[in-house]
Amino acid sequence: MNRFAELLDRLVLTPSRNGKLKLITDHFRAVEDPDRGLALAAITGELDIASVKPAMLRQLVSERMDPILFGYSYDYVGDLAETVSLVWPEAPESRPNHDITLAEVVQKLQSASRSDGPAVLARLLDQAETSARFAIIKLVTGGLRIGVSARLAKQALADLGSVDVAEIEELWHGLTPPYTSLFAWLEGKATKPEKAARALFRPVMLSNPVGDGDLEKLAPTDYAAEWKWDGIRVQAVSEGGIRRLYSRTGDDVSGAFPDVVAAMEFDAALDGELLVGSPREATGTFSDLQQRLNRKTVSAKMQDRYPAFVRCYDLLQLDGEDLRELPFTTRRARVEAFIATLDPDRFDLSPLVAFDSWDQLEAMRREPPHPIIEGVMLKRLDSPYLAGRPKGPWFKWKRDPHIVDTVLMYAQRGHGKRSSFYSDYTFGVWSGAEGAEELVPVGKAYFGFTDEELKQIDKFVRDNTVERFGPVRSVRADRANGLVLEVAFEGLNRSTRHKSGVAMRFPRISRLRWDKPPAEADRIETLQALLD
Amino acid sequence: MRPSDLLHSRPEGLYCPTGDFYIDPVRPVDRALITHGHSDHARPGHAKVLATRQTLDIMAIRCGPDFAGTTQAMPLGEKIRLGDVTVSFHPAGHVLGSAQISVERNGMRIVASGDYKRARDPTCTAFEVVPCDVFISEATFALPVFHHPDASQEIGKLLKSTRQFPERAHLVGAYALGKAQRVMRLLRDQGYDKPIYIHGALTRLSEYYQSQGVDLGDLRPATVEDGDKADFADAIIVAPSATFADRWARRFPDPLAAFASGWMRIRQRAKQGGVELPLVVSDHSDWDELTATITETGAGEVWVTHGREEALVRWCELNGIAARPLHLVGYEDEGD
Ligand SMILES: [Zn+2]
Ligand SMILES: [Zn+2]
């Protein structure tokens, strides 16, 4: 457990990608099975451990130490998991005579019942040393937050065995922790694991954003353009009677979309965008789509109200033939012909957008024909389907984010290194009749500003506090006095939880408008117009 | 007589009226007793200074030979009369020359411990428990979150990293007096026998440690201008951490910033400081050492100074020991 804890601690503080890769591969080399495979599972989020709520952690620690001393400690450290790991009373008499292994920890946590979970956790914390306690708490509270993506972990595996990362990606979804057969292959001790199941996920091809000056170097005649739909990227794979709908990261989301799965009457792997609505009549908004997301099962009523379909743009495999090596134009012809044979309520084709020049395409990108289009995709006509994010063949050219001017209403103290600053902001826009305008909160943001701007806002908050409730302050905000925040966001959803009726996606502060009188901030109608 | 008649705080520092002296005063005074050479405790400009020989030497190195009017070296354990009080110095285990100061009158003894630690340190004399009525304790790391692990285990991490990343220069931030030399000595204890490169700010103090029998091995200046970058790949360089942001640090190939400090226990502190390899090595007591020491002195009353006084005062209350913060100004959180 100490080796795993040390790995986590080093990964958090190592900024460079190569440094992280080295730390992970060294760990895989130095640590035996099954601990290294469990470490891999923890990093890639494949470890299934029942979670413990922060309140339970507090309860456990309050049974063991003076609450005032705990309070001083938590105030100082700012992170609950870390505080508990540090103040947990040392219990050398309960330490086993060997360093407890990650496998023991995982086994004990996984076999704990709901009711004895806290006691099992407490016993493990008694047995572990300080850093290991932190790692254990991170495992049970979910989210290691070590700045390592599953993709990076797979790259480390590729480095370990000197193989291409695409080989790992392709095998990945047939494997389970602790990945013993995978390590044996990478270390040259066994042959490559067979693809255990059919209908496996194929690593997807991703695009790069169009950067400044990129287009000048590219010939429009080398590229095809498609609309970029604001849905969920999926891969629909049906092979030998097994049907799977995968997310972009290879998670199996079939359970949430039985309507789509039922229509997968083919032997193929399709790449496309999952949307709701009726392909022939109306494509639903992202907030409609949200009704269908993050569900393990879905009611008939829900399927009826928000029917799902896939707008396809690529074909990776058809009747046993792998098409990924073929150029885009050939695959495009195949997918067009193939879609024509499928259920039109569940599968349609993402149309190509004809254009002659980048300027012309730019004009269409600015005025897309449908609100759920978030830009255009550019695909090089001669490019094969390549796993990962190769630079050059695919570009995304997104619509610019939405911008509104809002007024700062509440500020809340941050955590950790921001705990001495008011760094979380709730902002609102105007509603109500002329002469009787009121601010209505429309969102919350805690990034998008520089450290210097943070200091300025913090000072504004302290100088203009109207009321305090715990860590929150309400600030002066009326027609004549207040701070205007320009907020950028990616889209809007309908919301019943917010008084304003809207919820922003990915809001962030884009500019501080010290120059702008609050009365000139936007009105709620501006946002409501974006919903339809 | 109340304890506060024997010692109490004044703007200049902790004062003993019957003996007419100050302990670690922050402003120039007539007579100063100094616990150790860190700059917030040992300031120049006093007329008379009493301290251990090593602390006096260190003050001369740091502040120049004229740092005081007259000086008197106090051997550890020896008693001296100042006015009506008996004063003696006892090892504090903090840095080379560091001492606790015992002040005694009419059977009442107060021990001003300065900064102290209980962990083993090959570069200075180990802390000695002096039974007393009032114990004055520092509180730099006085929170239950602070546990300093075995320092050699932390140095082991540094050595492991030099093996993992041999192409990178390992830059170890350490307080110039005490911590730097302890880190170097611990590296030698683990068999590291390559030259250690040091920042110019460490040269004289390290030479002084060597002259006092603390063998630090082959030390070389890391300040050669226009040196070849590659010379420092695979090297360990020890420097005050403040220098990491300077142009000075740019001469090293892809430097990996390590920092040897008790603060490194808190991940956010490491992250904020851009430290890639935190080494939890401290010359102060951690929570358990502080509370154990208070118990061992048998003191019925504890005065708490520089640091997180409130937590230590709370612990004393919970354990039936009278305690109060001693509000002394002018001390900073030390870099260790
Ligand atoms: Zn000190
Ligand atoms: Zn100090």
Side-chain angles (χ1 to χ4, degrees):
Chain A
M1 196 64 201
N2 287 341
R3 293 173 303 185
F4 175 61
E6 189 187 322
L7 175 68
L8 296 188
D9 279 345
R10 294 254 8 220
L11 286 173
V12 173
L13 294 174
T14 300
S16 91
R17 184 172 183 275
N18 285 340
K20 288 183 209 267
L21 284 171
K22 170 86 177 141
L23 290 168
I24 302 172
T25 43
D26 278 0
H27 185 81
F28 291 157
R29 277 197 193 98
V31 174
E32 65 288 352
D33 293 322
D35 267 33
R36 58 179 172 178
L38 293 169
L40 173 61
I43 293 171
T44 54
E46 307 273 333
L47 207 54
D48 195 17
I49 292 176
S51 70
V52 168
K53 295 260 176 315
M56 178 52 68
L57 270 183
R58 295 195 107 173
Q59 169 72 25
L60 286 175
V61 82
S62 73
E63 290 162 6
R64 285 165 175 77
M65 80 181 287
D66 175 50
I68 293 183
L69 286 177
F70 178 75
Y72 291 151
S73 301
Y74 186 27
D75 275 356
Y76 183 81
V77 177
D79 175 83
L80 183 67
E82 183 168 8
T83 310
V84 173
S85 75
L86 293 173
V87 301
W88 193 266
E90 294 284 328
E93 69 285 355
S94 32
R95 294 250 167 94
N97 45 20
H98 67 284
D99 173 22
I100 51 167
T101 63
L102 178 57
E104 286 173 84
V105 170
V106 168
Q107 189 271 328
K108 286 186 175 135
L109 290 172
Q110 285 181 333
S111 58
S113 71
R114 205 184 170 78
S115 59
D116 66 10
V120 168
L121 173 62
R123 243 187 336 270
L124 285 172
L125 295 179
D126 284 343
Q127 290 174 3
E129 291 174 40
T130 316
S131 291
R133 285 198 293 266
F134 180 69
I136 292 170
I137 295 173
K138 284 304 211 187
L139 285 179
V140 298
T141 48
L144 297 175
R145 302 223 180 100
I146 46 170
V148 176
S149 61
R151 170 91 189 158
L152 192 73
K154 289 170 198 166
Q155 184 61 53
L157 290 167
D159 292 355
L160 178 72
S162 306
V163 301
D164 195 289
V165 69
E167 280 194 80
I168 308 277
E169 297 256 15
E170 192 144 356
L171 281 176
W172 187 252
H173 289 277
L175 302 172
T176 51
Y179 310 106
T180 325
S181 61
L182 176 66
F183 282 108
W185 166 56
L186 293 172
E187 290 183 334
K189 294 175 187 152
T191 54
K192 189 169 173 176
E194 290 289 310
K195 286 194 214 172
R198 286 173 177 270
L200 285 181
F201 172 68
R202 280 128 178 104
V204 300
M205 179 160 178
L206 301 167
S207 58
N208 289 286
V210 171
D212 282 342
D214 276 348
L215 293 180
E216 287 142 41
K217 288 176 258 155
L218 306 175
T221 46
D222 287 341
Y223 284 84
E226 289 167 21
W227 296 120
K228 180 166 171 33
W229 302 92
D230 188 12
I232 301 286
R233 177 92 179 260
V234 289
Q235 191 175 100
V237 189
S238 179
E239 256 180 306
I242 298 176
R243 298 175 184 187
R244 296 261 187 278
L245 197 62
Y246 292 107
S247 74
R248 197 189 91 177
T249 50
D251 294 317
D252 186 349
V253 295
S254 313
F257 302 98
D259 38 1
V260 174
V261 173
M264 287 164 58
E265 305 268 353
F266 49 72
D267 202 305
L270 272 167
D271 187 3
E273 203 78 4
L274 186 92
L275 297 161
V276 297
S278 158
R280 280 166 296 181
E281 285 143 36
T283 305
T285 63
F286 193 84
S287 63
D288 292 339
L289 176 57
Q290 280 212 314
Q291 306 296 325
R292 293 288 304 267
L293 299 181
N294 302 320
R295 290 171 189 276
K296 287 257 188 281
T297 59
V298 58
S299 67
K301 195 176 141 203
M302 202 52 109
Q303 294 180 45
D304 200 46
R305 188 140 171 233
Y306 301 107
F309 69 93
V310 181
R311 184 151 285 163
C312 303
Y313 35 71
D314 220 317
L315 184 59
L316 314 186
Q317 175 139 340
L318 183 59
D319 298 323
E321 183 193 358
D322 191 340
L323 308 181
R324 288 177 289 180
E325 292 292 317
L326 302 174
F328 173 82
T329 37
T330 313
R331 296 200 313 277
R332 178 75 198 182
R334 299 282 292 265
V335 75
E336 284 178 9
F338 180 59
I339 294 299
T341 68
L342 303 182
D343 177 353
D345 283 332
R346 299 298 171 197
F347 297 93
D348 79 347
L349 193 67
S350 179
L352 292 181
V353 181
F355 70 103
D356 296 318
S357 68
W358 298 129
D359 285 339
Q360 189 195 1
L361 189 61
E362 159 71 357
M364 291 190 275
R365 181 184 71 100
R366 281 176 178 278
E367 297 286 336
H370 195 283
I372 198 157
I373 289 172
E374 56 168 1
V376 292
M377 294 293 301
L378 302 174
K379 296 181 178 175
R380 215 185 141 85
L381 298 171
D382 59 4
S383 60
Y385 192 92
L386 299 167
R389 204 185 292 278
K391 181 96 184 149
W394 283 16
F395 287 96
K396 57 183 165 196
W397 193 9
K398 285 229 219 177
R399 199 175 55 196
D400 301 324
H402 301 290
I403 301 274
V404 281
D405 285 327
T406 68
V407 185
L408 176 63
M409 297 177 69
Y410 306 99
Q412 182 171 351
R413 269 225 299 276
H415 280 283
K417 74 171 169 178
R418 278 177 164 189
S419 57
S420 62
F421 288 102
Y422 286 88
S423 61
D424 296 10
Y425 310 116
T426 301
F427 43 82
V429 295
W430 298 109
S431 74
E434 208 183 317
E437 294 93 345
E438 274 186 357
L439 283 172
V440 43
V442 289
K444 240 181 136 166
Y446 47 90
F447 66 101
F449 36 84
T450 64
D451 288 350
E452 191 44 47
E453 287 172 331
L454 171 61
K455 282 185 201 155
Q456 294 166 4
I457 310 177
D458 180 72
K459 179 167 187 329
F460 174 85
V461 170
R462 290 172 195 275
D463 293 347
N464 290 278
T465 300
V466 180
E467 247 185 302
R468 300 169 177 228
F469 345 81
V472 180
R473 294 185 183 209
S474 72
V475 299
R476 193 156 175 211
D478 51 47
R479 300 290 285 174
N481 303 285
L483 171 56
V484 175
L485 302 174
E486 182 185 286
V487 172
F489 59 99
E490 296 302 315
L492 272 189
N493 298 335
R494 249 177 249 285
S495 165
T496 47
R497 274 186 303 144
H498 296 82
K499 189 176 157 197
S500 61
V502 298
M504 286 182 178
R505 281 170 33 220
F506 198 50
R508 66 269 185 198
I509 309 292
S510 61
R511 265 193 301 171
L512 307 184
R513 298 295 305 264
W514 299 103
D515 56 308
K516 195 158 194 171
E520 289 175 23
D522 279 302
R523 289 187 55 87
I524 187 72
E525 290 79 5
T526 312
L527 290 176
Q528 282 160 349
L530 291 173
L531 277 173
D532 307 313
Chain B
M1 185 181 64
R2 290 171 306 166
S4 58
D5 297 331
L6 188 54
L7 274 179
H8 56 254
S9 51
R10 281 195 177 185
E12 294 89 338
L14 198 58
Y15 181 60
C16 174
T18 27
D20 191 23
F21 61 83
Y22 289 86
I23 295 176
D24 292 351
V26 297
R27 296 183 196 166
V29 299
D30 185 46
R31 181 151 55 187
L33 276 55
I34 307 292
T35 59
H36 68 286
H38 279 147
S39 52
D40 50 341
H41 296 257
R43 295 174 197 247
H46 309 305
K48 300 191 253 328
V49 168
L50 264 77
T52 63
R53 175 78 265 155
Q54 288 166 332
T55 296
L56 293 174
D57 291 344
I58 288 166
M59 289 179 77
I61 290 170
R62 304 193 102 181
C63 312
D66 304 323
F67 69 92
T70 60
T71 62
Q72 183 179 346
M74 282 293 297
L76 291 170
E78 207 157 284
K79 291 187 173 173
I80 185 177
R81 296 281 295 177
L82 293 174
D84 238 1
V85 302
T86 304
V87 169
S88 54
F89 284 53
H90 305 270
H94 176 53
V95 296
L96 187 65
S98 67
Q100 314 171 70
I101 298 175
S102 158
V103 178
E104 206 174 339
R105 182 171 182 243
N106 295 341
M108 175 187 292
R109 185 189 287 155
I110 302 181
V111 170
S113 57
D115 294 332
Y116 65 98
K117 73 167 175 293
R118 308 296 301 273
R120 199 187 77 85
D121 179 350
T123 69
C124 65
T125 314
F127 181 91
E128 179 187 305
V129 175
V130 182
C132 56
D133 301 290
V134 178
F135 185 65
I136 305 178
S137 180
E138 60 139 324
T140 309
F141 292 108
L143 277 176
V145 298
F146 290 110
H147 286 276
H148 307 326
D150 181 11
S152 57
Q153 176 192 320
E154 298 297 292
I155 297 300
K157 286 183 188 164
L158 172 60
L159 290 173
K160 179 176 171 188
S161 182
T162 60
R163 291 189 299 269
Q164 272 185 305
F165 299 100
E167 71 289 359
R168 302 182 68 181
H170 282 64
L171 219 55
V172 184
Y175 213 51
L177 167 60
K179 185 65 58 63
Q181 294 77 22
R182 186 173 171 213
V183 164
M184 293 191 272
R185 180 61 242 170
L186 287 167
L187 280 166
R188 299 308 185 201
D189 283 349
Q190 298 207 15
Y192 185 79
D193 54 7
K194 295 184 197 169
I196 297 174
Y197 295 88
I198 59 173
H199 186 271
L202 306 183
T203 314
R204 292 191 63 202
L205 288 166
S206 301
E207 282 169 4
Y208 179 68
Y209 266 64
Q210 303 243 52
S211 77
Q212 295 295 299
V214 180
D215 184 6
L216 303 177
D218 183 3
L219 305 186
R220 302 200 186 159
T223 44
V224 196
E225 284 301 335
D226 312 315
D228 185 0
K229 270 196 169 199
D231 292 349
F232 291 107
D234 199 18
I236 293 180
I237 299 132
V238 183
S241 62
T243 59
F244 286 12
D246 296 352
R247 283 172 55 86
W248 179 83
R250 291 187 208 153
R251 72 192 58 195
F252 305 111
D254 192 12
L256 188 153
F259 187 25
S261 161
W263 301 116
M264 292 298 101
R265 179 91 277 180
I266 310 298
R267 288 172 178 80
Q268 197 58 43
R269 290 280 291 238
K271 211 164 190 179
Q272 252 170 308
V275 176
E276 264 190 67
L277 184 62
L279 305 171
V280 189
V281 180
S282 173
D283 284 332
H284 293 268
S285 295
D286 67 12
W287 177 253
D288 289 342
E289 292 174 50
L290 290 168
T291 56
T293 304
I294 289 172
T295 309
E296 287 172 41
T297 62
E301 189 170 337
V302 173
W303 298 347
V304 187
T305 164
H306 64 303
R308 271 127 289 275
E309 290 96 344
E310 53 189 10
L312 204 53
V313 168
R314 170 73 184 169
W315 180 88
C316 289
E317 280 167 6
L318 290 171
N319 288 274
I321 299 167
R324 64 179 174 86
L326 194 60
H327 294 294
L328 293 173
V329 289
Y331 298 94
E332 299 131 26
D333 271 357
E334 284 177 17
D336 51 351

